[in-house]
Structure formats: structure tokens, C-alpha cells
Amino acid sequence: MSGRKNVFVTLGLALSVSLLAAALAVLLFTFHYGHLQFDLLNAVCGEVVEQDPQARRIIAAALKEYTGGNADGSAYEDVLSSLGYRASDFSVPTYRQSLWCIGAGFLAGSLLFACTWAYRNRREALRIQALAAYLEQRGTSAAPILPASPKAASGEDDFSRLEDEIYKTVTFLYQTKEAAIQARNGFAENLSNIAHQLKTPITAISLSVQMMEHDLAAKASCARETAMPPISPAVTSGCYPEQIQKQLQRLTRLEEALLLLSRIDAGTLALEKEEVDVFTLLVLAADNLQELLDASGTSVEIPEQGGMMVMADLDWTMEAVMNLMKNCLEHGGGGKILCSYAQNPLYTEILIWDEGRGFAKEDIPHLFQRFYRGRNAAKNGIGIGLALAKEIIELQNGTLRARNRPGAGALFEIRLYSH
């Protein structure tokens, strides 16, 4: 129904209730006024009979003629007016009772209208609650695409049209979500397939490099024993196998990163949360990078600020922290990597920064994008470490942000929330 029709129905309902209340008030007032007339006439007749008992017959005949409708049509003498009385003299005693009757009728009508209006609002509120519950259930995938009840029992009105549009929108969003999940799973499956396809040539090349190194060592030994012309220094020193080995290591890291990304995208990365001491976490991450730190002459300073525990997966969180420290190592230009941590009722904050030049301003919005390599990226990097770190932290109810420090150096901020 249209909005105008709904207004007419509401007004009609209100008018009907008001008329019923008015009719009830008139009925009550008429009944009450009849009793008042009877009492007044009874009092007058009683006084007359008390003064003149012979007047009883005259009074009875007059009452019979009046209640019979004055069949002979004779006019009554206006006795009361000749005695100086008016109609208003007899209405004063009933004025208060009349007001009470009018008030009772108005109150009854108001109560009926209020009950009707409350019933209508309650009915709409129940429909809204049912619709809200349906949307909440759809948010947790616990409800069917189309609801079983609310609309069927409510009839056709403007609210039903709203319900129809909401159900259509929810169905569309559900289908879009399913398509997105399928696309994500397909992407994760493709990443996994690519990673597994890379493993075969990596293994073959690795075996070939080992055989090449073995052959070169054998030829060098044979040349020394038979006094053959010396082999090229580049070959005997293993320069080419060493370059190939570096590329193999890079391909291996890429393969491992792709496998990890596929597990994250597919939602199959198992995180075993336990109480982890923040100081221990940072120390273990630095220890795993000790070889790289020594080679670059970089040190890591981790202050011991008392026991602070977080709920996290130790191995994977350590992997994320290692990626952040490695980034500071590659861009810090030597010197120090500094850490600090603090805790409050909401979250535990871990800061990791270096003393280098910091991030290029145009790189900051893209630092955590997969395969993004900034202006000062390392030559052997693949642009996946920061993205992996961010996703690992976020899977554990945390956040990871990057910014430049006011003085100098790049800073990473980890927040692991308690709830």
C-alpha cells in the first residue's frame, strides 16, 4: 500500500476509536442524567405528597400522562418560570458529574487510541527486530539466503518493499562473497602450483651445480698431476657455480615465500598461540640474523624492560620480526638496530628502528604490498618480506605500521592487541 493510504487508514482508525469513545460517553451521560432526573422528580413529588397526601392521585395521573407522551396534546403551564426558576438552576448540581462523564469518555478514547497505536508500533518494531536478526545472522553465515518467516506474516506494505530490497541486496552480497572466496582460493592454489613447479628446476639446477663443482675439482686435480695447461682462474675458483648458487638461493626463498602466501590466502596457516615473552622474542629474532649482522657490522640493541607476555605464535611472530630487522639491516647502512617495547591494558607495542636515511616518501604507502621493491631495495630482495610480516601480525589480532622517525631512520611499529 502507498504511504497516503497508510495515512488514511491511520486517520480512519483514530476517527473510529474517537466516535466509539464519544458514543460510550453519551450513553454513560444519558444513563447518569436519567438517574438525576428521577431523583429530582422523586424529591419534589415526595415533598408535595408530604404536604398534601390527597395530591398523590393527581401526581400519579400527571406522571402517567407525561410518560405516555402527552397523548391529548394539551400544553403544560410553565409553572417553574412563573415561580422564578430557570433550567440552569437545576443543571448546576449535575455540572461536575457531567464533567466527570466527559473526562471518562475522553480518557477511554485516548486509551483505546494509545493501545491501537502502541500495537501498531510494536508490530513494526518486531518486524524490524526480525530483519535486524536476519542481517546479523547473515553476517555470521548462520541464516539462509532468504528468510523463512518475517515477510510471510507481515503482508504487503512499504515495509515489505524494504524487506524485499534488503533480501535482494543480501543475496547479491552473498553471491559476491562466494565469488571472491573462490577467486582467492584459486589465486592461492595457483601460487601453490607455481611454487611446486619451481621446486623441480631448482632441485635439478642444484644437483647440476654440485656435479659441476665436483668435475671442476677433479679436473683441477688431474691437471696438477699431469702438468696440463692450467684451467681458467674464474673456473677453478668456482666463480660461476657460486653465482648460480646465489640465484638458486634466491629462487628457493621465492618458492618458500609463494608457498607461505598460498597458505595465508587459503586460510590454512596454523598459528598456535601461547604466552610469549617479548624480550625473548626479540632476542631469538636477532640471534637468527647474527651471521648477516656480523657480515654488515650491525648490532642490535634490545633493552630488558621486565617480563611482558603476549599471546602469539612464537615461530611465526619471530619470522615477522626477523623480516623487519632484516629490512633495517639492508637500509640502515650499518650502525645499530634499536628496539623497545611497552604494554598497556589494550595492547603491547614493539618498536624497531634503524639509524639510516629512512624510507623514501613515495615508498611509504606501498611498503607492505607484495613484490613491491622501493627505491633503496636490496638487489637480491624479492619484495615479499614486509608483506609477509604484516599478514602474520594481522592474523594474530595485531597491526603493523611503518614511518620515518623525526630525526633519521626508518621505524616499524607493531601492536598486538589483548582482545
Side-chain angles (χ1 to χ4, degrees), residues 114-128:
C115 292
T116 306
W117 189 263
Y119 171 77
R120 178 177 179 272
N121 289 344
R122 177 61 179 168
R123 187 165 173 266
E124 290 188 356
L126 290 175
R127 294 172 69 183
I128 292 173

Side-chain angles (χ1 to χ4, degrees), residues 38-339:
F38 181 82
D39 291 339
L40 177 62
L41 189 57
N42 186 52
V44 172
C45 293
E47 289 291 333
V48 172
V49 170
E50 186 178 354
Q51 296 294 330
D52 186 5
Q54 298 298 327
R56 180 184 292 274
R57 294 178 60 189
I58 300 173
I59 292 173
L63 290 175
K64 184 175 181 180
E65 183 179 0
Y66 179 78
T67 55
N70 192 21
D72 60 359
S74 59
Y76 296 112
E77 183 182 356
D78 194 356
V79 178
L80 295 178
S81 296
S82 63
L83 295 175
Y85 291 100
R86 295 187 301 272
S88 59
D89 296 331
F90 299 94
S91 64
V92 173
T94 63
Y95 181 71
R96 183 174 299 176
Q97 290 82 352
S98 300
L99 290 179
W100 279 106
C101 290
I102 294 172
F106 180 78
L107 180 61
S110 300
L111 286 175
L112 285 174
F113 180 76
C115 292
T116 306
W117 189 263
Y119 171 77
R120 178 177 179 272
N121 289 344
R122 177 61 179 168
R123 187 165 173 266
E124 290 188 356
L126 290 175
R127 294 172 69 183
I128 292 173
Q129 290 177 4
L131 190 59
Y134 165 73
L135 291 174
E136 184 177 355
Q137 291 173 353
R138 279 303 313 147
T140 58
S141 299
I145 296 179
L146 291 177
S149 59
K151 182 176 178 291
S154 61
E156 293 294 333
D157 54 12
D158 287 342
F159 198 86
S160 298
R161 292 173 57 190
L162 174 62
E163 288 176 340
D164 288 336
E165 293 301 321
I166 290 177
Y167 300 145
K168 290 177 185 177
T169 303
V170 169
T171 303
F172 174 75
L173 292 176
Y174 178 81
Q175 294 172 348
T176 304
K177 177 184 176 182
E178 290 295 319
I181 291 175
Q182 292 178 0
R184 188 190 68 179
N185 291 338
F187 178 70
E189 185 177 354
N190 290 336
L191 280 179
S192 180
N193 291 336
I194 292 171
H196 283 295
Q197 292 295 329
L198 282 173
K199 184 175 291 186
T200 301
I202 289 174
T203 303
I205 294 173
S206 180
L207 290 174
S208 298
V209 169
Q210 292 177 12
M211 293 175 62
M212 185 185 300
E213 290 176 342
H214 182 270
D215 291 343
L216 286 174
K219 288 180 180 180
S221 177
C222 181
R224 287 195 299 270
E225 293 175 359
T226 59
M228 292 177 62
I231 303 175
S232 170
V235 176
T236 56
S237 64
C239 177
Y240 297 130
E242 183 180 352
Q243 292 178 356
I244 296 174
Q245 193 67 39
K246 288 182 179 180
Q247 296 304 316
L248 280 174
Q249 292 175 356
R250 184 178 181 186
L251 285 173
T252 302
R253 290 197 302 271
L254 176 60
E255 177 227 347
E256 293 173 351
L258 289 175
L259 284 174
L260 180 56
L261 284 175
S262 66
R263 293 173 64 187
I264 291 175
D265 289 338
T268 59
L269 182 63
L271 297 175
E272 298 180 359
K273 291 189 177 183
E274 57 183 348
E275 283 195 340
V276 176
D277 181 66
V278 177
F279 177 77
T280 303
L281 170 68
L282 294 172
V283 169
L284 290 175
D287 287 345
N288 279 275
L289 295 174
Q290 195 60 50
E291 186 176 346
L292 294 175
L293 293 170
D294 293 341
S296 64
T298 304
S299 62
V300 180
E301 289 189 1
I302 306 172
E304 189 170 0
Q305 299 175 225
M308 293 186 190
M309 310 301 291
V310 293
M311 293 299 297
D313 185 294
L314 176 60
D315 293 333
W316 285 114
T317 309
M318 184 174 64
E319 180 75 20
V321 173
M322 286 171 57
N323 286 337
L324 301 181
M325 289 183 174
K326 192 183 297 183
N327 188 275
C328 292
L329 173 67
E330 293 172 352
H331 299 89
K336 297 179 182 179
I337 298 175
L338 300 101
C339 305

Side-chain angles (χ1 to χ4, degrees), residues 362-402:
E362 61 271 17
D363 290 339
I364 292 179
H366 311 287
L367 286 174
F368 298 108
Q369 293 178 3
R370 295 178 180 181
F371 304 106
Y372 179 79
R373 301 182 75 249
R375 176 185 299 179
N376 302 319
K379 293 182 179 180
N380 59 346
I382 57 177
I384 200 68
L386 294 183
L388 285 176
K390 183 177 179 65
E391 298 197 36
I392 290 171
I393 295 299
E394 289 180 346
L395 284 175
Q396 301 181 97
N397 192 30
T399 59
L400 173 59
R401 295 189 296 177

Side-chain angles (χ1 to χ4, degrees), residues 349-352 399-403 411-415:
E349 183 180 70
I350 303 173
L351 301 179
I352 301 172
T399 59
L400 173 59
R401 295 189 296 177
R403 65 176 187 270
L411 182 142
F412 294 101
E413 176 190 273
I414 300 173
R415 286 185 179 180

